[in-house]
Amino acid sequence: VTPLLNNPFNPMKILREFDYGTLKQENGVKIREFNVTANSSLLQLNSGVSFVSWNLNNRVPGPTFRVKEGERVRIIFHNEDGHSHSLHFHGIHPAEMDGIKPIRHGKKMVYEFTAEPYGVHLYHCHIAPVTRHISKGLYGMFIVDPPQPRPPADEMVMVMAGYDINNNQHNELYAFNGLPNYYRDHPISIYQNQLIRLYILNMIEFDPVSTFHIHGNMFNVYRTGRDTTPHEETDVITMGTGERHILEFSYPYPGKYMFHPHQDTLAELGCMGMFKVIPS
Amino acid sequence: VTPLLNNPFNPMKILREFDYGTLKQENGVKIREFNVTANSSLLQLNSGVSFVSWNLNNRVPGPTFRVKEGERVRIIFHNEDGHSHSLHFHGIHPAEMDGIKPIRHGKKMVYEFTAEPYGVHLYHCHIAPVTRHISKGLYGMFIVDPPQPRPPADEMVMVMAGYDINNNQHNELYAFNGLPNYYRDHPISIYQNQLIRLYILNMIEFDPVSTFHIHGNMFNVYRTGRDTTPHEETDVITMGTGERHILEFSYPYPGKYMFHPHQDTLAELGCMGMFKVIPS
Amino acid sequence: VTPLLNNPFNPMKILREFDYGTLKQENGVKIREFNVTANSSLLQLNSGVSFVSWNLNNRVPGPTFRVKEGERVRIIFHNEDGHSHSLHFHGIHPAEMDGIKPIRHGKKMVYEFTAEPYGVHLYHCHIAPVTRHISKGLYGMFIVDPPQPRPPADEMVMVMAGYDINNNQHNELYAFNGLPNYYRDHPISIYQNQLIRLYILNMIEFDPVSTFHIHGNMFNVYRTGRDTTPHEETDVITMGTGERHILEFSYPYPGKYMFHPHQDTLAELGCMGMFKVIPS
Ligand SMILES: [Cu+2]
Ligand SMILES: [Cu+2]
Ligand SMILES: [Cu+2]
Ligand SMILES: [Cu+2]
Ligand SMILES: [Cu+2]
Ligand SMILES: [Cu+2]
Ligand code: NA
Ligand code: NA
Ligand code: NA
Ligand code: NA
Ligand code: NA
Ligand code: NA
Ligand SMILES: [Zn+2]
Ligand SMILES: [Zn+2]
Ligand SMILES: [Zn+2]
Ligand SMILES: [Zn+2]
Ligand SMILES: [Zn+2]
Ligand SMILES: [Zn+2]
Ligand SMILES: [Zn+2]
Ligand SMILES: [Zn+2]
Ligand SMILES: [Zn+2]
């Protein structure tokens, strides 16, 4: 079993943690304000491999920012890391808020825009070489909820990542939510017949695509979360880097079920997890 | 022209062969029962290359199991091969029937579940390293027909596979239904204006995706076979490992037409076939 | 800034140039006739790298042929290059017009067929090794307009290409419309709130897929252009070699916005461009 070792974060906590920021009122305008800090920290990827990550709020992936469509959003970005970084958000926003300008060590940048459109988006550092700044850990999910909320569900977030340990532009390890094999060794408890809403993002650099598969079940796909009715139902989905979707499913039978990319190389190098379905 | 050499199966026979099993009645319950045996056999991939396959019922891909949604299915799996193997089915089933436990040489395992949902599914060995157990040949298609049958058509099955001859995690040869270039050298006869229903599965390991293209025509795509109206019409589709679809088309003009992945490397290494459209 | 150097074509001209051919009347039948010549020419990909392209009409990609669904099309293909080549069109046509037979140096071939179905198609040389004949530059877009024209828009064409400079089956450079980084250094001017209709094609060989991403915005996807209502809205799309779509979007805010594959390796090696959104 993978212990947490000395890692600064717990994938089980990341799984269902949403950062709604702080709601402020300024001159009659409501603003949802977030604070995020870039820094470096050592990850212990397994008992034998450590990795200097560049990360946000001391976790990989960074915080899952969550807002409602149409809300004014303010992200206060502090760069405490030795390298220059930025936060580039997906979604619609003015060019000045696009996050492609380097913010130097010790500097602050305030990104502010109206959250649109609803869907599952992402953010990441956009400083060259982007492959390196992303694969070191500077990314996270950005969920914009629709005006009419989605039905109640057990909601969770999974970000697929690759680790280029030896800096040769190939990944030696992979993970869901930061730590290789964590959910294989600590299965995710869910309830039988409970609707699961999985926000999933592929942030693996160097590999052209990842797939995602769940055992013993099918899922409905809401592509980029840009709809409230599903596009298709399957159990294997192919995702390029930067692609993200909502997958919905519920398990009719109790027991343990694997999930992993159907590229078994990635699965065998750490991108492997388990659901433990508890009878309800 | 590729002769059959000493191969234990004929791709032309595999193309339109569906295994409906045996219908049994037990305590008033109807059960569709299948027998399948894992073993090793030597394939002659071309005049110069032979390959020790691990396979099911002496063919690569294994049998195309075909049932109706809601039917009770029983697969009696015999492992006559020297290595441990299993049969993992896609689709909905209880954890105990998920086929991730190794069945040793000489042992038998009975997988039993209710077939759902309708669509194009697959099965494969799930013993680690899965890349190896799949690429050696332990996979096949599992078709679950909808309650309301699809319209009449000339139905055929194609499974795209890769062969890692020298065991270096890269494929040196590729094939539709087991033998490289077989349908290039023995074109598939079809009739002009006849509706073709192609069940297609990508089981290529080590390559992130394969595409599938037909010449001189377009096809309707029923993604994962999970619908009875098409999702899109195209002539190039990208499929991750484990993805499978129904493609429907008919040729308005007679003559010979190539089909192949649009990654020409794969096509040039054996994943190449021809339709011969006969005037009707 | 990338100058045009000594290149025989200008990507800014290719962007919005459509070749409608010449409309002829023969025995009461209307025919849209095109002339296209294959030849070799030296491209200056950047200040240090030149590349012997095999191309059509002295440009990479070749001309964007544009016709209306149901029109009779005649392509008069002249091969002035030293190697044998052909023109294989996607879409529906008889086997004799499929363009898989080599046309030798100095020879002419007339391809003639009825343009169907409407959508975004492509053409390319289909002489073995196809990877080489395509990656040397022998491809282009083939747009078939629907009977009911699409709404007015600022229409543009982008073809993503890879260059295997050292002939090792890997690409060292990438480009939109022929020249690496051209639109990065010469941003494409568009107007705020103006509907953009982008016809996009992935013709990159050797890489399994490319993705396409625009900054600060989302786009509607019309897959293979085979519909007049969008399939989905996103800002990252995964495309296998030979896949092509219509993407529609308009920028609500002025300023400069990057576009590039979200595989940052490809972006950093030349597949990078910019929109300059002018206030309207
Ligand atoms: Cu499975
Ligand atoms: Cu599996
Ligand atoms: Cu074709
Ligand atoms: Cu082709
Ligand atoms: Cu972006
Ligand atoms: Cu980006
Ligand atoms: Na620091
Ligand atoms: Na590495
Ligand atoms: Na044996
Ligand atoms: Na190999
Ligand atoms: Na010449
Ligand atoms: Na190269
Ligand atoms: Zn950075
Ligand atoms: Zn991005
Ligand atoms: Zn699995
Ligand atoms: Zn096995
Ligand atoms: Zn599978
Ligand atoms: Zn072809
Ligand atoms: Zn050629
Ligand atoms: Zn093609
Ligand atoms: Zn970017």
Side-chain angles (χ1 to χ4, degrees), chain B residues 98-266:
Chain B
D98 196 39
I100 59 172
K101 292 197 199 99
I103 310 303
R104 300 180 58 187
H105 170 77
K107 297 295 176 191
K108 188 181 84 167
M109 166 71 191
V110 180
Y111 301 105
E112 198 176 308
F113 51 85
T114 302
E116 54 174 351
Y118 80 78
V120 194
H121 303 301
L122 62 148
Y123 62 89
H124 55 85
C125 179
H126 207 297
I127 302 309
V130 177
T131 44
R132 183 161 167 79
H133 283 248
I134 287 182
S135 65
K136 291 293 271 181
L138 290 161
Y139 51 79
M141 205 178 265
F142 173 46
I143 298 174
V144 179
D145 285 314
Q148 196 70 12
R150 301 182 194 272
D154 180 2
E155 298 200 320
M156 52 184 76
V157 166
M158 287 189 203
V159 182
M160 293 189 277
Y163 289 108
D164 176 7
I165 309 297
N166 58 2
N167 212 8
N168 72 343
Q169 311 256 67
H170 290 274
N171 297 310
E172 283 75 42
L173 285 172
Y174 298 88
F176 289 107
N177 290 350
L179 295 188
N181 290 320
Y182 197 82
Y183 301 126
R184 179 195 70 183
D185 297 335
H186 305 82
I188 298 169
S189 288
I190 59 177
Y191 286 98
Q192 190 183 5
N193 295 321
Q194 164 69 51
L195 177 65
I196 308 297
R197 181 170 299 123
L198 173 59
Y199 297 87
I200 189 156
L201 164 62
N202 174 18
M203 279 276 49
I204 300 173
E205 289 284 352
F206 309 121
D207 293 280
V209 298
S210 183
T211 54
F212 180 77
H213 168 57
I214 63 174
H215 276 225
N217 213 344
M218 309 289 288
F219 47 70
N220 276 310
V221 182
Y222 301 76
R223 295 185 68 79
T224 320
R226 285 294 301 125
D227 225 325
T228 52
T229 50
H231 286 81
E232 66 174 301
E233 193 197 33
T234 185
D235 64 6
V236 180
I237 188 164
T238 300
M239 302 172 73
T241 306
E243 279 195 282
R244 66 282 182 190
H245 303 298
I246 293 173
L247 310 181
E248 287 187 355
F249 51 92
S250 65
Y251 271 89
Y253 305 109
K256 283 191 187 166
Y257 299 90
M258 289 178 166
F259 58 85
H260 56 86
H262 215 289
Q263 293 123 300
D264 299 297
T265 322
L266 279 61

